[in-house]
Amino acid sequence: MLRADNPGPMTLDGTRSYVLRAPGASGCVVVDPGPLLEPHLAALAGSGPVELALVTHRHPDHTGGLARFRELTGAPSRGGLPEFSVGGGAGVDSLADGEVLDIAGLRIEALATPGHTADSVCFVVSDGSSSVVLTGDTVLGRGTTVLAEPDGSLRDYLASLDRLSALDLPGPVLGLPGHGPVIQDLGSAVHAYREHRLERLGQVRSALMGLGAELPDAGSPLPDTLLDVVTGAVYADVDPSVLIAARSSVRAQLEYLRGR
């Protein structure tokens, strides 16, 4: 793991890039090259030869340096969106849900986990004796993730957490997140995430009832004043630096409620 020097309220101590290879394998796979920071990209390239770059989702702190990383390594890249699936001398398909890659001595399965963004993907990585799950921003090493505009979805996110809970892997499974420390027991973390989301949803519902507010019909825009008031009521305990992210999650929660 190499951590980019881009700390902040949304990136915690920085974006984590992962270099994957089985023992004895010469080539490697790099997951999330990270932002366009030349020293970070050079250090990742020096871990090569790089056979493939994978991305967990579209946010620039994970993909901003991808094009430059391809230049440095000559490696193709794959992701959930076409713009991240480039190289190899021919057309490269976007990652498909359940697709398995046998590369660098590893078995890497792509698991579509939308919710944080519509294109979010986790990777289940096995070397024949043990498995880990690279979670991107779907599950963080500290705190909780945002349901990011414009395509974050609480309905999708809860379904993605259920998919992670249902993984048939032995023992406590390590989660390797895009930000924050290693998750020692991914199953427990996913359960806590789900409970937290449902608790916040209940708080949003209570805030609406306290305001005597009704949600507009599906397809109509949510009023900014409603978003601001509900965010202030539900997320009064969060640092002001992440209130914009909290507002994005409130939008996703309100969309969930009016879709039921």
Side-chain angles (χ1 to χ4, degrees), residues 19-29 47-51 103-106 127:
V19 179
L20 308 177
R21 56 160 58 89
S26 58
C28 67
V29 175
S47 302
V50 180
E51 297 182 24
I103 190 169
L106 301 169
D127 65 0

Side-chain angles (χ1 to χ4, degrees), residues 80-219:
L81 295 175
E83 55 261 42
F84 303 133
S85 301
V86 178
V92 179
D93 292 332
S94 301
L95 285 169
D97 183 30
E99 182 176 349
V100 174
L101 307 173
D102 292 306
I103 190 169
L106 301 169
R107 180 186 189 274
I108 303 176
E109 180 180 358
L111 186 71
T113 51
H116 171 64
T117 61
D119 69 310
S120 289
V121 180
C122 292
F123 297 106
V124 182
V125 182
S126 305
D127 65 0
S129 61
S130 62
S131 300
V132 297
V133 181
L134 278 70
T135 60
D137 284 7
T138 298
V139 184
L140 304 178
R142 175 165 56 85
T144 55
T145 197
V146 62
L147 305 178
E149 295 187 44
D151 55 0
S153 164
L154 179 58
R155 187 176 304 279
D156 288 347
Y157 189 68
L158 293 174
S160 293
L161 292 179
D162 289 344
R163 291 198 74 186
L164 290 172
S165 291
L167 287 175
D168 186 18
L169 299 174
V173 176
L174 289 181
L176 305 182
H179 307 278
V182 170
I183 304 161
Q184 296 299 323
D185 184 345
L186 181 60
S188 294
V190 167
H191 176 74
Y193 260 50
R194 200 178 202 286
E195 291 300 305
H196 173 77
R197 285 294 170 195
L198 294 178
E199 180 183 4
R200 286 296 196 196
L201 186 63
Q203 292 169 351
V204 168
R205 188 183 286 111
S206 295
L208 284 173
M209 292 176 63
L211 292 168
E214 291 191 7
L215 292 172
D217 293 336

